[in-house]
Amino acid sequence: MKIAVVGGGPAGLYLSILLKRQDPGHEIAVYERNAAGSTYGWGVTYWAGLLDKLRAGDPESAAAVAEASVTWTDGLAIVRDERTVHRGDAGFGIGRRRMLGLLADRATALGVEVAYEHPIAGPDAPELAGADLVVAADGVHSVLREAHADHYGTAFTTGRNPYIWLGTSKVFDSFSFAFKETEHGWIWCYAYGFSGERSTCVVECAPGTWTGLGLDTMPEGDCLALLEKLFHDLLDGHELIGRDRGAEPAQWLRFRTLTTRAWHHGRTVLLGDAAHTTHYSIGAGTTLALEDALALAEALRTHPDDLDTALTAYGRRRRAELVSAQSAARLSAQWYENLPRYMDLEPDKMFALLGQRHSPLLPYVPPQLYYRIDRAAGRLEALRRLKRWLGPRLARAVHRV
């Protein structure tokens, strides 16, 4: 096959590796609009289950990613000024630029053409002419998807809270949180290491806190200085790193959740953020994109002589598999949007419910009561089953009203 992959993110590069390994005779080109190494996003997170899948797909790239990653096992939270620790499963962080470099090197070694600073203007671009398969891996703003947005059933939902993606010279050895109360409301930070020199910090707050603190108009340098002061005990005197915007306001965003009804149109198929996004607070975006690549490669291998059947099977499978992740992401975003509901709890209880934010039952039960139920459910199987049964039914009942 002649395959054109539009977008050189993790999903597009990894798919090209998988397809080239399946059939070295494939002619594969990856077109990335940005220069090599110019990605933004600091670090990405993933968990051990993804590494197992990557090893099955391509052991060499999986080994390279694992070697370049850092590991943590605990979660740390600073609530007001009190620290609490939660023991958890091992997680991993890797610099986004480092991951892309490793995947690009592996793809090139296998014979994939990776073209940087090569934007594709739309589905009629000459680079796509003659391709048997066009992969739209060009992100949430995909030009290939938007050319047929009605067919794909594209829909966006914008979150309420502004957030900003930053780096820091502080190297965290645990996934860390800090929650600070200001005269304008709560502001909080998620932080995790991704190398021996840098960590990612994501800062979020309610709209009223954002405007009350002046973060909506403050030049980036002043914004970083204020955030460093607010989160001084988390950062231990280290600096925050932004985008060098000078006197311009810092680049705060509101998360846009993308869903699509269909995942392919003729010979064009959606991959990763071009097909779906999930709120950053569950740390699954890169994992889900790489799982898309694995599923698409498997569908093409299973149906080598019928492209439409392969792409239909891929879309059906991934839409079904994404239901739980999208539900968890929605509930997680809502938990943070309703943060004051939980902040009267003792820090260790608040942190415990932070870990329970994916529960469909939690929004409908007073936090103190939920905490007691959750502790009891850890000892009583019947109560665990009741929690799993009751949560979705309460959510559906409220939505009907």
Side-chain angles (χ1 to χ4, degrees):
M1 294 176 69
K2 182 178 180 181
I3 302 168
V5 180
V6 181
L13 288 170
Y14 191 59
L15 177 68
S16 73
I17 292 169
L18 296 174
L19 295 182
K20 197 69 173 176
R21 290 189 77 236
Q22 285 178 195
D23 187 344
H26 287 323
E27 181 184 338
I28 306 175
V30 177
Y31 300 102
E32 168 55 43
R33 64 178 176 268
N34 295 318
S38 66
T39 185
Y40 184 77
W42 304 104
V44 299
T45 60
Y46 65 93
W47 278 261
L50 177 67
L51 267 184
D52 294 337
K53 296 175 182 178
L54 296 183
R55 290 188 185 102
D58 177 44
E60 186 165 330
S61 60
V65 168
E67 185 178 355
S69 299
V70 298
T71 307
W72 65 84
T73 55
D74 296 335
L76 165 71
I78 301 174
V79 183
R80 298 181 181 88
D81 296 317
E82 184 173 338
R83 291 174 179 256
T84 184
V85 175
H86 174 72
R87 307 297 176 186
D89 297 331
F92 302 86
I94 183 172
R96 181 175 172 83
R97 182 178 301 172
R98 180 71 170 137
M99 172 180 268
L100 292 178
L102 293 171
L103 295 178
D105 289 347
R106 175 61 171 154
T108 300
L110 290 170
V112 175
E113 177 191 354
V114 181
Y116 292 101
E117 298 182 81
H118 200 129
I120 299 297
D124 298 325
E127 294 90 343
L128 308 185
D132 301 298
L133 174 66
V134 175
V135 181
D138 50 344
V140 66
H141 302 294
S142 170
V143 296
L144 299 185
R145 184 198 65 235
E146 287 306 292
H148 299 283
D150 289 342
H151 169 81
Y152 289 115
T154 303
F156 286 98
T157 303
T158 302
R160 188 189 72 186
N161 288 351
Y163 71 96
I164 188 169
W165 205 272
L166 302 169
T168 178
S169 55
K170 167 71 182 291
V171 178
F172 292 93
D173 57 8
S174 61
F175 203 110
S176 301
F177 304 83
F179 299 85
K180 298 294 179 176
E181 190 173 20
T182 76
E183 61 181 320
H184 301 288
W186 289 91
I187 186 168
W188 54 96
C189 175
Y190 325 76
Y192 56 89
F194 63 82
S195 74
E197 296 82 33
R198 292 285 186 270
S199 297
T200 295
C201 285
V202 183
V203 179
E204 180 182 343
C205 59
T209 306
W210 184 56
T211 56
L213 292 173
L215 295 169
D216 55 328
T217 58
M218 194 177 292
E220 184 181 71
D222 294 341
C223 171
L224 298 185
L226 175 57
L227 295 178
E228 288 168 359
K229 182 179 179 180
L230 286 170
F231 297 110
H232 65 93
D233 49 355
L234 180 72
L235 296 170
D236 292 327
H238 287 262
E239 65 175 352
L240 290 170
I241 307 168
R243 286 194 167 190
D244 295 324
R245 294 172 62 86
E248 295 183 38
Q251 191 169 13
W252 291 79
L253 305 168
R254 283 182 170 85
F255 191 82
R256 300 178 76 205
T257 298
L258 164 70
T259 57
T260 48
R261 183 179 60 250
W263 282 36
H264 82 281
H265 180 250
R267 62 180 180 147
T268 300
V269 63
L270 305 181
L271 190 73
D273 283 357
H276 56 85
T277 60
T278 55
H279 194 262
Y280 54 83
S281 62
I282 69 167
T286 299
T287 292
L288 296 174
L290 293 171
E291 289 176 345
D292 285 354
L294 286 160
L296 179 54
E298 182 178 335
L300 292 168
R301 183 176 64 249
T302 304
H303 306 282
D305 302 318
D306 190 338
L307 182 63
D308 187 70
T309 297
L311 300 185
T312 299
Y314 156 71
R316 183 184 302 116
R317 171 185 169 181
R318 288 303 290 153
R319 285 193 300 274
E321 291 174 342
L322 280 166
V323 168
S324 61
Q326 289 173 330
S327 174
R330 183 181 67 257
L331 290 164
S332 180
Q334 291 172 354
W335 191 92
Y336 286 106
E337 289 178 350
N338 293 284
L339 184 77
R341 182 174 188 258
Y342 305 99
M343 297 313 294
D344 288 335
L345 295 170
E346 296 89 338
D348 61 326
K349 294 181 179 179
M350 178 268 172
F351 197 19
L353 294 195
L354 171 66
Q356 289 283 314
R357 66 189 183 279
H358 309 149
S359 166
L361 180 61
L362 180 55
Y364 308 105
V365 176
Q368 286 279 12
L369 176 59
Y370 185 96
Y371 178 81
R372 291 195 292 270
I373 292 173
D374 185 61
R375 295 286 82 81
R379 299 184 296 271
L380 298 173
E381 174 60 29
L383 196 51
R384 282 196 295 272
R385 289 198 298 269
L386 177 62
K387 278 181 60 184
R388 291 194 295 267
W389 178 86
L390 186 58
R393 285 158 178 80
L394 271 175
R396 286 196 295 269
V398 170
H399 290 159
R400 282 197 297 269
V401 172

